Amino acid sequence: MTVREIIRMGHPTLRQVARELTTDELSTVESQVLLLDMVDTLKASGGIGLAAPQINVSVRLAIIEIPGGASRYGEIPPMPLTVFVNPVVEVLGDESAAFWEGCLSVPGLRGLVERPQHVKVTATDLDGKSFELELNGFLATVFQHEFDHLDGVLYVDRLKDSRLLVFEDLLQMDEEKVQDIKQPE
Ligand code: ZN
């Protein structure tokens, strides 16, 4: 299919609340093409998640594919390419943690964002069948970041401190400095 352009922060579509998709709509050729294009676009980008608004289509559809394995976030369980239609996130616990997030729509930057680390996601698949996933740790962060796009929210909106937004080539995992900023005296 087609690798589509990923729109960047400043484009108004990224700030819209996307509309829900009906089961009937999911079976249309338009939806199938949209999904195939999203898969191609995600693969070409090297990212792990893509929401439809990021290719300028304001519907509640997102895909996530996690290669898994060791990373600087620790050992991450892999997840095959999964489609989420009209996903809803429910926070299950008080525990939260901060990760350096990046976004295909905010290229070149990283920001430290704290989010709940235990969530339940309810969504429907392409056949309109409902399913649930419980997620912990970094994966909980990934899903919240991705589904925020469906509400017109970007991770930069969730920074506690604008000093925690940096260019990724300058990002050094200098934990001491991060702690200084996170916990000012
Ligand atoms: Zn993003």
Side-chain angles (χ1 to χ4, degrees), residues 49 54 102-105 145-146 149 154-155:
Q54 292 182 279
C103 180
L104 296 171
S105 295
H145 172 119
E146 219 50 60
H149 281 296
L154 299 173
Y155 80 81

PDB file of all heavy atoms in Angstrom, residues 49 54 102-105 145-146 149 154-155, ligand 1:
ATOM      1  N   GLY A  49       4.417   2.494  17.609  1.00  0.00           N
ATOM      2  CA  GLY A  49       2.979   2.733  17.629  1.00  0.00           C
ATOM      3  C   GLY A  49       2.614   3.882  16.707  1.00  0.00           C
ATOM      4  O   GLY A  49       3.433   4.775  16.444  1.00  0.00           O
ATOM      5  N   GLN A  54      -2.240  10.716  13.405  1.00  0.00           N
ATOM      6  CA  GLN A  54      -0.875  11.072  13.009  1.00  0.00           C
ATOM      7  C   GLN A  54      -0.674  11.029  11.502  1.00  0.00           C
ATOM      8  O   GLN A  54       0.305  11.580  10.994  1.00  0.00           O
ATOM      9  CB  GLN A  54       0.139  10.140  13.687  1.00  0.00           C
ATOM     10  CG  GLN A  54       0.217  10.352  15.195  1.00  0.00           C
ATOM     11  CD  GLN A  54       1.268   9.454  15.820  1.00  0.00           C
ATOM     12  OE1 GLN A  54       1.027   8.283  16.078  1.00  0.00           O
ATOM     13  NE2 GLN A  54       2.459  10.000  16.030  1.00  0.00           N
ATOM     14  N   GLY A 102       9.271   9.699  23.162  1.00  0.00           N
ATOM     15  CA  GLY A 102       9.461  10.374  21.886  1.00  0.00           C
ATOM     16  C   GLY A 102       8.193  10.182  21.088  1.00  0.00           C
ATOM     17  O   GLY A 102       7.325   9.394  21.469  1.00  0.00           O
ATOM     18  N   CYS A 103       8.066  10.907  19.982  1.00  0.00           N
ATOM     19  CA  CYS A 103       6.839  10.810  19.196  1.00  0.00           C
ATOM     20  C   CYS A 103       7.166  11.089  17.735  1.00  0.00           C
ATOM     21  O   CYS A 103       7.904  12.028  17.435  1.00  0.00           O
ATOM     22  CB  CYS A 103       5.818  11.828  19.710  1.00  0.00           C
ATOM     23  SG  CYS A 103       4.260  11.785  18.816  1.00  0.00           S
ATOM     24  N   LEU A 104       6.599  10.272  16.848  1.00  0.00           N
ATOM     25  CA  LEU A 104       6.837  10.461  15.418  1.00  0.00           C
ATOM     26  C   LEU A 104       6.329  11.824  14.948  1.00  0.00           C
ATOM     27  O   LEU A 104       6.805  12.351  13.944  1.00  0.00           O
ATOM     28  CB  LEU A 104       6.153   9.350  14.618  1.00  0.00           C
ATOM     29  CG  LEU A 104       6.695   7.928  14.870  1.00  0.00           C
ATOM     30  CD1 LEU A 104       5.782   6.904  14.196  1.00  0.00           C
ATOM     31  CD2 LEU A 104       8.120   7.792  14.373  1.00  0.00           C
ATOM     32  N   SER A 105       5.369  12.403  15.691  1.00  0.00           N
ATOM     33  CA  SER A 105       4.823  13.707  15.324  1.00  0.00           C
ATOM     34  C   SER A 105       5.589  14.869  15.972  1.00  0.00           C
ATOM     35  O   SER A 105       5.267  16.031  15.722  1.00  0.00           O
ATOM     36  CB  SER A 105       3.343  13.785  15.712  1.00  0.00           C
ATOM     37  OG  SER A 105       2.604  12.848  14.958  1.00  0.00           O
ATOM     38  N   HIS A 145       0.444   6.821  25.804  1.00  0.00           N
ATOM     39  CA  HIS A 145       0.957   7.802  24.843  1.00  0.00           C
ATOM     40  C   HIS A 145       0.186   7.689  23.523  1.00  0.00           C
ATOM     41  O   HIS A 145      -0.281   8.691  22.975  1.00  0.00           O
ATOM     42  CB  HIS A 145       2.458   7.553  24.606  1.00  0.00           C
ATOM     43  CG  HIS A 145       3.052   8.372  23.499  1.00  0.00           C
ATOM     44  ND1 HIS A 145       4.078   9.264  23.702  1.00  0.00           N
ATOM     45  CD2 HIS A 145       2.748   8.450  22.159  1.00  0.00           C
ATOM     46  CE1 HIS A 145       4.372   9.860  22.546  1.00  0.00           C
ATOM     47  NE2 HIS A 145       3.590   9.372  21.594  1.00  0.00           N
ATOM     48  N   GLU A 146       0.047   6.462  23.049  1.00  0.00           N
ATOM     49  CA  GLU A 146      -0.567   6.247  21.737  1.00  0.00           C
ATOM     50  C   GLU A 146      -2.042   6.662  21.736  1.00  0.00           C
ATOM     51  O   GLU A 146      -2.515   7.322  20.814  1.00  0.00           O
ATOM     52  CB  GLU A 146      -0.420   4.766  21.369  1.00  0.00           C
ATOM     53  CG  GLU A 146      -0.123   4.535  19.922  1.00  0.00           C
ATOM     54  CD  GLU A 146       1.029   5.392  19.433  1.00  0.00           C
ATOM     55  OE1 GLU A 146       2.161   5.282  19.948  1.00  0.00           O
ATOM     56  OE2 GLU A 146       0.769   6.208  18.532  1.00  0.00           O
ATOM     57  N   HIS A 149      -3.213  10.316  21.564  1.00  0.00           N
ATOM     58  CA  HIS A 149      -3.350  10.939  20.238  1.00  0.00           C
ATOM     59  C   HIS A 149      -4.818  10.996  19.800  1.00  0.00           C
ATOM     60  O   HIS A 149      -5.209  11.881  19.043  1.00  0.00           O
ATOM     61  CB  HIS A 149      -2.564  10.154  19.185  1.00  0.00           C
ATOM     62  CG  HIS A 149      -1.087  10.444  19.197  1.00  0.00           C
ATOM     63  ND1 HIS A 149      -0.583  11.686  18.910  1.00  0.00           N
ATOM     64  CD2 HIS A 149      -0.024   9.662  19.449  1.00  0.00           C
ATOM     65  CE1 HIS A 149       0.744  11.654  18.989  1.00  0.00           C
ATOM     66  NE2 HIS A 149       1.113  10.432  19.313  1.00  0.00           N
ATOM     67  N   LEU A 154      -0.723  15.459  23.215  1.00  0.00           N
ATOM     68  CA  LEU A 154       0.648  15.047  22.915  1.00  0.00           C
ATOM     69  C   LEU A 154       1.436  14.936  24.220  1.00  0.00           C
ATOM     70  O   LEU A 154       1.090  15.583  25.214  1.00  0.00           O
ATOM     71  CB  LEU A 154       1.323  16.069  21.993  1.00  0.00           C
ATOM     72  CG  LEU A 154       0.655  16.267  20.623  1.00  0.00           C
ATOM     73  CD1 LEU A 154       1.312  17.422  19.876  1.00  0.00           C
ATOM     74  CD2 LEU A 154       0.737  14.985  19.796  1.00  0.00           C
ATOM     75  N   TYR A 155       2.515  14.126  24.202  1.00  0.00           N
ATOM     76  CA  TYR A 155       3.242  13.920  25.459  1.00  0.00           C
ATOM     77  C   TYR A 155       3.796  15.223  26.021  1.00  0.00           C
ATOM     78  O   TYR A 155       3.945  15.360  27.232  1.00  0.00           O
ATOM     79  CB  TYR A 155       4.347  12.855  25.298  1.00  0.00           C
ATOM     80  CG  TYR A 155       5.620  13.342  24.655  1.00  0.00           C
ATOM     81  CD1 TYR A 155       6.583  14.029  25.392  1.00  0.00           C
ATOM     82  CD2 TYR A 155       5.873  13.129  23.304  1.00  0.00           C
ATOM     83  CE1 TYR A 155       7.756  14.476  24.800  1.00  0.00           C
ATOM     84  CE2 TYR A 155       7.033  13.574  22.711  1.00  0.00           C
ATOM     85  CZ  TYR A 155       7.976  14.246  23.459  1.00  0.00           C
ATOM     86  OH  TYR A 155       9.121  14.706  22.868  1.00  0.00           O
TER      87      TYR A 155
HETATM   88 ZN    ZN B   1       3.101   9.978  19.570  1.00  0.00          ZN
END
